[in-house]
Amino acid sequence: MRKTDLLKMSIFIAIALFLLILCSQVAFLNLRGFNDHEAFYECAEDSIDVVFIGGSMAYTAFCPAELYDRYGISSYNFGTSNQSMLAGYIWAQEAYEYQKYKVIVVEAMALTMSHGEIATDIRSLFSMGINHNYLQLAGVYKRNSYKVVFPIFVLHDGWEISQKTFAETGNEGNQYLRGFVPLFSQAGENYQESILRGDENATEYLNFTYIDRLREYCDENEIKLIIVKTLMASNEVNNWNDGYHNQVQEYATQYNIPFIDFNSVEYMKDAGMDISVDVAADLRHMSYSGSQKATNYLGEYMLQMEGIQWNLYKDPRLNHEALDKYYAIIDEIEKE
């Protein structure tokens, strides 16, 4: 092959790679929405003490602004739709590079999905861009690693490029919501009883690979790990039953990890929860009133934990003006 032909081929390959990277970046921009996490990178360095990870059950249950307003604890909610434990583990590492947080809360439904489909995991992590943490997916999805590097090959459904695609931020309200998404519907009076039946012999299979890695990561960095299962009214769509509860409880006991299951009568009573009003009409996610109770319970619980030096009410991005804007956003969403 002549040098000129080799040069032309090299130039062609370089241009093709550049276009693939560019299209992939546009693909990421199209994913920005109500629970992207661009706002995290605007937080003051080492100002956050708590992070939340998990799927939609996490981002509808834990309110960072209200946790700060009532208890002075600064936090960020990294919940994304159908987030796997793998994606949550990667977010935990990414967050710790910017914020030497002290506590991480895992919404337990993520434990039933050790890792999801490649498209789902890419969607969960797109806010961090194609960096070294994101590229851990390539090591997991070996045969499809090219899709991780060039997500244009997998993130192509439902695109609609518009002015919002190239806006400076995906959702300006996210800097105040910090990943939280409130739901104002309610399950209704037909739903009163816990989905748990107290069957101590019930079992389900769980793959603990990535919660194991997260637990080890927390031990290495002296981070407190808490597992929380949010309240549900039905397990027909997202199955959470006595078997899963028992398996997680056994795991948590083995490694001395706090496990709070708001579906158990004990925790439901302690938190003052009522399934009919504290679960949304979809029967799977907590309503806004439920999220307030879950956030209050965790705020009081975490302040009683030993060995943590909290930076209470010291987050410069959560001043009175920011909190006022947060509550204004909540009021606007409720009216809508």
Side-chain angles (χ1 to χ4, degrees):
M1 182 179 292
R2 294 181 301 175
K3 290 184 178 180
T4 53
D5 292 335
L6 183 61
L7 178 61
K8 289 179 181 178
M9 182 179 296
S10 299
I11 292 174
F12 172 79
I13 293 173
I15 292 174
L17 290 175
F18 172 77
L19 291 175
L20 283 173
I21 293 172
L22 181 63
C23 290
S24 294
Q25 293 296 335
V26 174
F28 278 168
L29 291 175
N30 272 274
L31 291 176
R32 297 188 304 179
F34 61 85
N35 65 342
D36 69 61
H37 299 305
E38 291 179 348
F40 167 73
Y41 298 97
E42 300 173 4
C43 297
E45 184 178 0
D46 292 338
S47 62
I48 292 175
D49 284 343
V50 177
V51 299
F52 301 96
I53 59 173
S56 55
M57 294 180 182
Y59 69 62
T60 54
F62 310 124
C63 323
E66 297 185 41
L67 183 63
Y68 186 82
D69 191 19
R70 298 171 188 176
Y71 300 96
I73 299 174
S74 180
S75 62
Y76 195 96
N77 191 327
F78 285 101
T80 53
S81 297
N82 297 314
Q83 186 179 103
S84 68
M85 197 60 238
L86 164 62
Y89 169 60
I90 294 175
W91 264 123
Q93 296 171 80
E94 174 79 358
Y96 196 71
E97 292 184 11
Y98 293 84
Q99 305 285 340
K100 296 299 184 283
Y101 57 86
K102 300 173 175 64
V103 175
I104 184 167
V105 177
V106 179
E107 206 289 321
M109 188 60 75
L111 273 65
T112 68
M113 299 179 289
S114 183
H115 66 77
E117 298 179 351
I118 186 171
T120 302
D121 284 336
I122 290 174
R123 289 176 187 275
S124 291
L125 302 177
F126 77 92
S127 298
M128 67 178 66
I130 304 177
N131 67 7
H132 62 287
N133 284 318
Y134 169 82
L135 288 174
Q136 291 183 61
L137 290 180
V140 176
Y141 297 103
K142 295 180 175 64
R143 294 184 178 179
N144 291 304
S145 58
Y146 71 96
K147 294 180 180 179
V148 176
V149 179
F150 304 115
I152 186 68
F153 287 115
V154 67
L155 300 179
H156 54 75
D157 296 330
W159 279 14
E160 185 177 340
I161 297 177
S162 64
Q163 289 182 336
K164 292 182 179 180
T165 303
F166 302 100
E168 291 186 9
T169 58
N171 184 340
E172 293 183 2
N174 282 351
Q175 63 179 301
Y176 308 111
L177 293 168
R178 292 198 171 190
F180 172 58
V181 179
L183 298 178
F184 285 95
S185 62
Q186 296 180 347
E189 294 299 323
N190 290 333
Y191 298 92
Q192 301 282 345
E193 296 184 4
S194 169
I195 59 175
L196 299 181
R197 298 294 178 256
D199 183 355
E200 296 180 356
N201 298 315
T203 60
E204 291 279 1
Y205 171 74
L206 285 176
N207 184 338
F208 292 110
T209 299
Y210 291 105
I211 188 64
D212 275 339
R213 294 187 185 183
L214 177 61
R215 174 179 54 78
E216 292 167 358
Y217 184 79
C218 289
D219 289 342
E220 292 170 3
N221 293 284
E222 298 183 345
I223 300 167
K224 303 289 187 181
L225 172 62
I226 302 174
I227 300 174
V228 176
K229 182 65 202 80
T230 55
L231 187 64
M232 298 170 59
S234 170
N235 59 14
E236 293 181 2
V237 179
N238 290 98
N239 189 29
W240 181 261
N241 55 31
D242 288 273
Y244 286 128
H245 171 90
N246 294 344
Q247 290 293 95
V248 175
Q249 184 63 71
E250 181 179 343
Y251 181 87
T253 300
Q254 179 181 356
Y255 294 106
N256 196 29
I257 300 170
F259 174 42
I260 299 168
D261 189 345
F262 286 121
N263 295 286
S264 69
V265 175
E266 173 192 358
Y267 285 110
M268 200 185 306
K269 181 178 180 181
D270 288 347
M273 291 182 177
D274 179 340
I275 295 174
S276 64
V277 298
D278 293 329
V279 178
D282 63 12
L283 310 182
R284 299 181 296 151
H285 303 94
M286 298 191 75
S287 66
Y288 179 61
S289 66
S291 69
Q292 289 181 305
K293 294 174 183 178
T295 299
N296 285 340
Y297 187 94
L298 287 177
E300 294 179 4
Y301 182 90
M302 288 188 289
L303 287 181
Q304 295 175 17
M305 296 175 70
E306 297 180 354
I308 300 179
Q309 292 184 338
W310 299 102
N311 296 308
L312 300 181
Y313 294 108
K314 292 183 180 179
D315 190 334
R317 302 284 294 186
L318 286 176
N319 53 31
H320 291 299
E321 181 181 358
L323 292 173
D324 287 344
K325 289 184 177 179
Y326 163 78
Y327 287 113
I329 291 172
I330 293 298
D331 289 342
E332 183 177 350
I333 294 174
E334 183 176 15
K335 291 176 182 177
E336 290 176 355

